[in-house]
Amino acid sequence: MLAEFDLIRRYMMSPQEAQATDGVALGCGDDATLLIPQLGQQLVVSVDTSVVNIHFPHDAPAHAVGHRALAVALSDLAAMGATSRWCLMALTLDQRVFKEETAAEQWLAGYARGFHALCQQHATTLAGGDVTSGALSISVTVMGEVPAELAMTRSGAQPGDVVAVTGALGGGAGGLALWQQGERDLTHPLLQRYLMPQPRLAAGIALRGLATAAMDISDGLLADLTHLREASQVGVVLEPEALPLVEGLVDALGREAALSAALSGGDDYELLVTLSPDNVAQARAQLAECGLSLSVIGHCSEALGVTGVPAQAATGWQHFCGGAQ
Amino acid sequence: MLAEFDLIRRYMMSPQEAQATDGVALGCGDDATLLIPQLGQQLVVSVDTSVVNIHFPHDAPAHAVGHRALAVALSDLAAMGATSRWCLMALTLDQRVFKEETAAEQWLAGYARGFHALCQQHATTLAGGDVTSGALSISVTVMGEVPAELAMTRSGAQPGDVVAVTGALGGGAGGLALWQQGERDLTHPLLQRYLMPQPRLAAGIALRGLATAAMDISDGLLADLTHLREASQVGVVLEPEALPLVEGLVDALGREAALSAALSGGDDYELLVTLSPDNVAQARAQLAECGLSLSVIGHCSEALGVTGVPAQAATGWQHFCGGAQ
């Protein structure tokens, strides 16, 4: 059995020593971490827990588990238009599932590789953590910054705004379906979307000042649209035929299931935004610089509620209900 | 079954709406929370996970589970001399353990009561969270502030400094022993110490500028002393007869087990500090204002290692080993 302090030292600390240039005055290894917020910025914080067999399969590759646990948390910073700066990782791990200590170490090394690589990609410093014993789960706290008053929220949508999404939808649910059918080729685009989602941080920053409201799509487009509608007190007229479906989704699931995955599957981690029609062209140009498309999928109305939803569409994914309702 | 969003709304949000006066620009309910750091302060952050049957018994009262999960995290801020400001709560809950929905709601209401009461006691705003399904565990992220350069760390102890602890030791392990023997009277002082530990935030602030090094006692005095010794590159000469034992501990466990609980039991959440001998009187006076004693239990030496440890003392508590070694 690996002892707790060993685990922390070997796998949780950043590969490079944290530096003052990263806004870290004192890194891992003390009771707490000391961070240096930037002047004139608000601190943007969020926490997300990923639990085995709820948020990822027990046999998911270790590096995907590490990547995904951080990605879903960073996605919340992206939705606010924040620059990611630091994260904390609370890892609960049941070493008894490993037959040999080397297997536990291999899993941890892979997990840490996936986590640290995404940290590096988004200039996010792992600034602390906790390791404990129990059923596998990871709580990741992310901390970012945004200039005061520039954060995007869910509550600014106006009647007449268009509703748009970045990238393509349905990959989360489509990838899960493929995984459950036994597909294990991680280079498959749908598995990539499901197991290795990319938080849209650059897109969030690009949309700052353009989007009137924003959030990430984690619970499924329709469920998240409900949150946005309620926060903004607007209605939405949806154009389902305009939904951008992930490449290969229709081939994999068929047209109807593909649409349902995009509407209700969840775990897509694209951004859902509203914009004045006048700003769509500029938003598209700026997202193109991030290599990302922006698809208009409807518009906001004064009449509350949502119209245009295909009859067969489910209403959302709720973890506590164990699946789509 | 309660739906996730319902759970969050009803039990996770602060009883009072978060306010700009609490440094919250945007509270729970969006993708992330917006916080307003104070000028000239460093941000002090830490995360602690509490897992059922590892950190607390499965039949612990719900309000104690809520209190304790936050208390152990706040204790890390106390050790740094920080003022606590905000926290995030990631709750993983297995509703299937409850036979009826009302039982789940009762548990959650009690849990939230314990958590919120401690928030209020330490002017800490619950600024966000996550609720998911799985084996009961709680990851609490705490965020505090400390004037730049004034944080206490583990690494400043000097040969010649005295080693001291706040309050009394052995209550964590003593309370656990009583609980395992069937004691359920929560007003029993040892159960109070075990289930409702009090983070020493006021003491931490009082010791700022006086202590040369500080940490909290969570893994057991000897184990934590090792961390402090190693971080400061000093040795320690311990005077075990000077250890302040919690009232009733010797009666409950006998002299030898009481000493062992104080040395190695852990979960005491007192502060372990080093000070110049010249500062002991002032530190005592300031702690007295917090209603807390300060006991000198040894001194730092140039010769590394620790001397004076009774032969029967265990070497520490490691969660992954399932108990004291």
Side-chain angles (χ1 to χ4, degrees), chain B residues 75-269:
Chain B
S75 182
D76 286 320
L77 296 188
M80 308 294 285
T83 302
S84 174
R85 299 213 64 202
W86 309 289
C87 66
L88 304 174
M89 178 220 294
L91 170 63
T92 302
L93 181 66
D94 187 355
Q95 287 194 72
R96 292 169 305 180
V97 303
F98 300 107
K99 290 203 181 73
E100 295 169 9
E101 191 170 311
T102 51
E105 287 217 40
Q106 264 176 20
W107 191 92
L108 273 167
Y111 167 84
R113 197 173 69 244
F115 194 98
H116 290 310
L118 192 64
C119 276
Q120 203 162 15
Q121 192 182 329
H122 293 289
T124 301
T125 302
L126 176 61
D130 189 22
V131 181
T132 189
S133 180
L136 178 61
S137 84
I138 308 115
S139 279
V140 178
T141 300
V142 287
M143 291 169 280
E145 291 184 318
V146 67
E149 316 298 332
L150 271 194
M152 300 190 292
T153 70
R154 300 178 176 181
S155 60
Q158 300 285 335
D161 284 350
V162 301
V163 178
V165 294
T166 62
L169 301 180
L176 171 59
L178 278 197
W179 182 271
Q180 288 171 336
Q181 289 162 23
E183 177 63 60
R184 289 295 182 271
D185 176 7
L186 282 202
T187 64
H188 191 294
L190 291 180
L191 288 197
Q192 278 285 313
R193 302 284 304 209
Y194 169 51
L195 289 173
M196 303 284 284
Q198 297 298 325
R200 300 306 189 191
L201 286 155
I205 292 169
L207 289 166
R208 229 157 55 184
L210 293 172
T212 51
M215 65 182 299
D216 77 330
I217 302 174
S218 53
D219 295 316
L221 175 64
L222 289 180
D224 290 319
L225 207 48
T226 301
H227 303 315
L228 190 144
R229 283 193 291 110
E230 289 177 352
S232 292
Q233 285 294 298
V234 295
V236 164
V237 179
L238 196 69
E239 297 159 23
E241 67 284 359
L243 286 185
L245 302 181
V246 165
E247 196 185 335
L249 188 67
V250 173
D251 288 349
L253 302 187
R255 174 102 208 139
E256 194 164 317
L259 190 60
S260 182
L263 285 166
S264 312
D267 286 335
D268 282 331
Y269 302 103

Side-chain angles (χ1 to χ4, degrees), chain A residues 11-310:
Chain A
Y11 297 111
M12 309 257 312
M13 297 209 183
S14 297
Q16 289 89 31
E17 189 81 17
Q19 307 252 332
T21 49
D22 302 322
V24 178
L26 181 72
C28 298
D30 216 294
D31 287 73
T33 305
L34 294 175
L35 305 176
I36 308 165
Q38 289 192 94
L39 288 182
Q41 305 268 318
Q42 286 179 342
L43 189 67
V44 190
V45 298
S46 183
V47 63
D48 265 296
T49 304
S50 297
V51 179
V52 65
N53 290 333
I54 303 272
H55 301 93
F56 59 89
H58 73 276
D59 52 353
H63 76 276
V65 174
H67 172 102
R68 199 177 185 290
L70 176 58
V72 302
L74 287 176
S75 182
D76 287 321
L77 296 188
M80 309 294 286
T83 301
S84 174
R85 298 213 64 201
W86 308 290
C87 66
L88 304 173
M89 179 221 292
L91 170 64
T92 302
L93 181 67
D94 187 355
Q95 286 195 71
R96 291 169 306 180
V97 303
F98 300 106
K99 289 203 180 72
E100 293 170 10
E101 191 169 311
T102 50
E105 288 216 39
Q106 263 176 19
W107 190 92
L108 274 166
Y111 166 85
R113 196 174 69 244
F115 194 98
H116 290 311
L118 192 63
C119 277
Q120 202 161 15
Q121 192 183 330
H122 294 289
T124 301
T125 303
L126 176 61
D130 190 22
V131 181
T132 188
S133 181
L136 178 60
S137 84
I138 308 115
S139 279
V140 178
T141 300
V142 286
M143 291 170 279
E145 291 183 318
V146 68
E149 316 298 332
L150 271 196
M152 300 189 292
T153 70
R154 300 178 178 183
S155 60
Q158 301 285 333
D161 284 352
V162 302
V163 178
V165 295
T166 62
L169 301 180
L176 172 58
L178 278 198
W179 183 270
Q180 288 171 338
Q181 290 163 23
E183 176 63 60
R184 289 296 180 272
D185 176 6
L186 281 202
T187 64
H188 191 294
L190 291 179
L191 289 195
Q192 278 285 313
R193 301 284 303 208
Y194 169 52
L195 288 173
M196 301 286 283
Q198 297 298 324
R200 300 306 189 190
L201 286 154
I205 292 169
L207 289 165
R208 231 159 52 185
L210 293 172
T212 52
M215 65 181 300
D216 76 330
I217 302 176
S218 52
D219 295 317
L221 175 64
L222 289 180
D224 290 319
L225 208 47
T226 302
H227 303 315
L228 189 144
R229 283 193 292 110
E230 290 178 354
S232 291
Q233 285 293 298
V234 294
V236 165
V237 179
L238 196 67
E239 297 160 22
E241 67 284 0
L243 286 184
L245 303 181
V246 165
E247 197 186 332
L249 189 65
V250 174
D251 288 347
L253 302 187
R255 172 101 207 138
E256 195 166 316
L259 189 61
S260 181
L263 285 166
S264 311
D267 287 336
D268 281 331
Y269 303 103
E270 295 292 350
L271 298 185
L272 167 66
V273 296
T274 58
L275 307 124
S276 156
D278 299 340
N279 285 331
V280 170
Q282 191 186 342
R284 279 206 169 114
Q286 287 184 216
L287 287 187
E289 288 180 25
C290 315
L292 213 52
S293 62
L294 185 73
S295 303
V296 172
I297 61 166
H299 66 272
C300 298
S301 61
E302 288 202 20
L304 302 184
V306 59
T307 59
V309 180

